[in-house]
Amino acid sequence: MNWKSWMLPGAIFIASGCKIQYQTEKIEYRAESRDIREGKRLTMLVCGSCHYNFETKDFSGKKLEDSPGIIGKIYSANITRDPEHGAGKYSPGELAYLIRTGISRTGRLMPYMHRPNMANQDLDAIIAYLKSDDPAVQPSARKAGKTKYTPIGRLGLSMVKAGEYRDSSIQKPKSDAVLLGKYLVDNLACYHCHSKSFASLDALDPAKSKGFMGGGNKLRDASRKKIRTPNLTPHATGIQDWTEAEFRRAITEGVAKDNSVISYPMPLFPELTEEESAAIYVYLKTIPPIKNKVKR
Ligand code: HEC
Ligand code: HEC
């Protein structure tokens, strides 16, 4: 981004007292799903890495250690059914709007939560689950912690365009492994971390993100040391010689091809079925190879 494109949003942002506020539309949305088990599986897969707390074994949120300090301290929210400390006040329509656009019911933008291409079927199951009486979403008064952005973090956020609400006609691919893999790489946000940078992602058409799946994005590990994401394209510097079984073991158990432990912030996805992890693997074999050697 060049300096000119920073000027207008920057000026508005400073003039508005550094508040990022969006207009929200009211969406009528009825979650039709009754499949709470599938809803829980999807919520773990899509929201769990940020919102699931392994100590309290519920969705009461935690600190996200992987965000660069320059952006600030980021805590995910408590999304249990508690109306004060959790997401109990969210209507199904407000949840659908938040997931599709990244904008909260009070008009705050959370760009990293943006899932514009999720099929209604999956969105339904997630919303039905969040409204269910499963123990992991029982009202909890635990506070996740308060997110504090630095001025640079706020300026960066003010550059990110919020998504427009799209009533998705996207169907979840069923029989085509390549399309299912593409859908999962999009909705499980693999490409957010495994492409060049968070700043050059294309949420509507993920494959157009800079350095798509070629790795090199700089994150922080659990001890806040810099860590760069590996290349997952079908190149010798990527996963060209990985087998499907090695790939599944890596993403479900956190053990790499060379038997080393894959560290935070790589989330584990043990809820993926064998068919789904195979689909991701098959899809990654079809994307353009990128030469980029990243030392783990
Ligand atoms: C990459 C991490 C990440 C993922 C994935 C994620 N969230 Fe969040 N979410 C956050 C953070 C961080 C906040 C708090 C941001 C803040 O306070 O500014 C948040 C806030 C929220 C809130 C509270 C909004 C408010 O009104 O304050 C809800 C509800 C929510 N998330 C639901 C979800 C659901 C449902 C999913 C899965 C479909 C999801 N999130 C996926 C990081 C994430
Ligand atoms: C929050 C960021 C993040 C997300 C989301 C993420 N990864 Fe990762 N991934 C990483 C990091 C960081 C590493 C390297 C960890 C290390 O060096 O120990 C990694 C490592 C890997 C590895 C091991 C590669 C190697 O060369 O050893 C594979 C395979 C992988 N990720 C696949 C995926 C898939 C598939 C998805 C989506 C389902 C995904 N990742 C989502 C951050 C992420």
Side-chain angles (χ1 to χ4, degrees), residues 201-248:
L201 298 176
D202 187 331
L204 287 182
D205 192 352
K208 290 207 180 115
S209 304
K210 240 187 216 156
F212 180 62
M213 298 306 279
N217 198 355
K218 289 186 209 75
L219 300 171
R220 299 273 167 171
D221 70 9
S223 51
R224 299 205 57 77
K225 279 210 291 283
K226 283 201 181 107
I227 184 166
R228 296 206 308 141
T229 54
N231 180 352
L232 301 184
T233 67
H235 186 271
T237 58
I239 58 162
Q240 194 183 56
D241 10 285
W242 286 53
T243 64
E244 189 186 304
E246 286 165 343
F247 185 77
R248 176 167 174 87

Side-chain angles (χ1 to χ4, degrees), residues 46-47 50-51 74-75 79 90 98 108 110 112-113 147:
V46 181
C47 324
C50 295
H51 288 284
I74 303 186
Y75 294 85
I79 60 168
Y90 269 81
L98 168 69
R108 277 192 317 129
M110 294 152 208
Y112 32 79
M113 281 176 38
T147 293

Side-chain angles (χ1 to χ4, degrees), residues 43 57-59 79-82 128-140:
T43 308
K57 297 196 169 49
D58 63 7
F59 283 93
I79 60 168
T80 67
R81 287 183 8 247
D82 191 285
Y129 172 69
L130 292 174
K131 296 288 173 199
S132 77
D133 50 18
D134 185 78
V137 289
Q138 281 298 311
S140 158

Side-chain angles (χ1 to χ4, degrees), residues 66 188-190 193-194 219 227 229-230 232 242 247 250-251 256 261-263 265-267 269 280 296:
D66 59 332
L188 303 184
C190 315
C193 291
H194 284 279
L219 300 171
I227 184 166
T229 54
L232 301 184
W242 286 53
F247 185 77
I251 65 179
V261 174
I262 301 173
S263 76
M266 168 64 194
F269 301 93
I280 298 176
R296 271 201 43 232

